Amino acid sequence: MYELNESSFDPITFVLTGIPGMEDSHTWISVPFCLMYITAVFGNSVLLFVIITDRSLHEPMYLFLAMLAVADLMLSTTTVPKMLAIFWFSAREISFDACVTQMFFTHFSFIVESSVLLAMAFDRYVAVCDPLRYSSTLTPSVIGKIAVTAVVRGFCIMFPPIFLLKRLPYCGHNVMPHTYCEHMGIARLACADIKANIWYGLTTVLLSSGLDVVLIAVSYALILRTVFRLPSPEARLKTLSTCGSHLCVILMFYVPAFFSFLTHRFGHHIPSHVHILLANLYVVVPPMLNPIVYGVRTRQIRERVVRLFCPMGECPCPGWGSRC
């Protein structure tokens, strides 16, 4: 093991302890997380494959779903395998560079996913509130620019923390009560002033993902206002059901994430195991649910998935038989 002296670029090995106070239950806790991760990888991979290979699905809504699937795969795969290695094999050590890399891709994929969720909310707003201008507003060029903007935005926000962390001396403090590396989790191990890290993290959360949440809320509020003006009760009920499921997944993504981010700054009296459990949820539960809520509930996606697994039109699952 290496320790940092006054030179902040000296190597150090961190030790991730897992969920504090629940070490004896790590094996049992790993089971649902492993199942959720397998479901997330399988569901998002199938969704991505179906959208890429079927040209009829190369439309704005489905292209945004493909972007969401990529972000979900990155978010869960960056964190969960290391988490399971800690739970199963006590593989707690991680080098400083590997920890910073994991931190970068975890927060980067979160920011990209948040940007995609905002784009999807805008897509639904245009489709419901201004359908006549939908095809002229969301052109392939615009969708490409949205994808590039989401990636560039995530990179620009997460590039400075690399140097904010590398400049700090750690004086041998290397035990991190977590299952993966976060910006403030690393910074709090430093034996120096971390106000720059705190303010940068808080500002970027509020001005990036926080702003996304506000704009998503405004989009869905306008959608609901339009929905309640629809003359058909069936159309209102169908749209409300779809919006309700979308909002539930969005809340499952943002609430644990913001709880984790803000706990680092203000929640010093919150039990560590509660903080870490919620921090683990937002990296695996939304990636597991998104293919179901956004994919399987969409008729066109459902039909392609059934065709993929039941090429002869004979579905082994009775519940899907009528849709084959």
Side-chain angles (χ1 to χ4, degrees):
M1 183 182 300
Y2 297 93
E3 295 180 355
L4 271 175
N5 52 29
E6 293 302 313
S7 174
S8 60
F9 286 88
D10 286 346
I12 188 172
T13 299
F14 290 131
V15 177
L16 296 167
T17 63
I19 303 175
M22 303 185 71
E23 289 81 3
D24 294 339
S25 304
H26 276 177
T27 302
W28 294 105
I29 294 172
S30 70
V31 174
F33 277 102
C34 180
L35 294 175
M36 286 189 288
Y37 176 63
I38 292 172
T39 304
V41 171
F42 177 77
N44 284 291
S45 298
V46 170
L47 183 63
L48 198 57
F49 176 80
V50 167
I51 293 173
I52 290 175
T53 56
D54 193 329
R55 293 190 62 85
S56 66
L57 296 179
H58 292 182
E59 297 178 6
M61 181 176 70
Y62 305 114
L63 294 175
F64 287 136
L65 284 177
M67 297 178 204
L68 189 67
V70 172
D72 280 335
L73 287 170
M74 185 184 301
L75 180 62
S76 57
T77 302
T78 301
T79 53
V80 179
K82 180 61 180 177
M83 181 196 311
L84 295 177
I86 295 170
F87 291 161
W88 290 342
F89 310 115
S90 297
R92 295 185 172 90
E93 292 191 352
I94 184 170
S95 69
F96 178 78
D97 289 335
C99 193
V100 171
T101 301
Q102 186 186 49
M103 177 276 300
F104 174 86
F105 282 104
T106 300
H107 295 316
F108 168 81
S109 53
F110 176 85
I111 295 167
V112 171
E113 180 155 347
S114 180
S115 302
V116 174
L117 288 173
L118 174 59
M120 292 175 69
F122 177 70
D123 170 80
R124 291 299 85 203
Y125 163 76
V126 177
V128 173
C129 301
D130 198 5
L132 296 179
R133 298 180 60 185
Y134 183 80
S135 58
S136 61
T137 301
L138 289 165
T139 62
S141 174
V142 170
I143 295 169
K145 290 176 182 177
I146 290 173
V148 172
T149 301
V151 173
V152 172
R153 180 196 193 200
F155 181 83
C156 290
I157 291 174
M158 287 313 304
F159 191 65
I162 296 174
F163 298 97
L164 288 175
L165 292 172
K166 282 183 172 289
R167 71 185 176 87
L168 296 171
Y170 293 88
C171 307
H173 302 158
N174 66 341
V175 179
M176 193 185 309
H178 212 309
T179 55
Y180 59 88
C181 298
E182 288 185 317
H183 173 214
M184 287 309 302
I186 302 172
R188 291 199 179 280
L189 296 178
C191 51
D193 186 9
I194 60 169
K195 286 182 180 178
N197 298 74
I198 292 173
W199 284 110
Y200 182 83
L202 184 60
T203 302
T204 52
V205 165
L206 294 178
L207 294 182
S208 59
S209 302
L211 182 60
D212 291 348
V213 170
V214 173
L215 294 176
I216 289 171
V218 171
S219 295
Y220 276 98
L222 294 173
I223 289 171
L224 290 175
R225 186 184 69 173
T226 302
V227 167
F228 284 121
R229 293 176 177 175
L230 294 176
S232 169
E234 293 80 9
R236 287 200 301 268
L237 186 61
K238 181 180 179 180
T239 308
L240 286 174
S241 174
T242 302
C243 289
S245 60
H246 289 186
L247 288 173
C248 286
V249 175
I250 289 171
L251 288 174
M252 279 298 300
F253 178 67
Y254 283 112
V255 171
F258 281 123
F259 180 87
S260 176
F261 296 155
L262 296 177
T263 296
H264 277 301
R265 282 85 180 173
F266 310 111
H268 303 300
H269 301 296
I270 295 174
S272 296
H273 66 277
V274 174
H275 173 201
I276 304 307
L277 276 173
L278 285 175
N280 289 336
L281 287 179
Y282 87 83
V283 300
V284 68
V285 174
M288 176 192 68
L289 293 178
N290 284 339
I292 300 171
V293 172
Y294 291 110
V296 175
R297 285 175 61 92
T298 305
R299 181 179 59 82
Q300 291 87 341
I301 296 287
R302 186 171 61 239
E303 289 175 353
R304 270 49 169 207
V305 171
V306 171
R307 194 182 304 165
L308 177 65
F309 291 101
C310 312
M312 302 303 295
E314 297 179 358
C315 216
C317 177
W320 290 61
S322 60
R323 301 187 181 105
C324 290

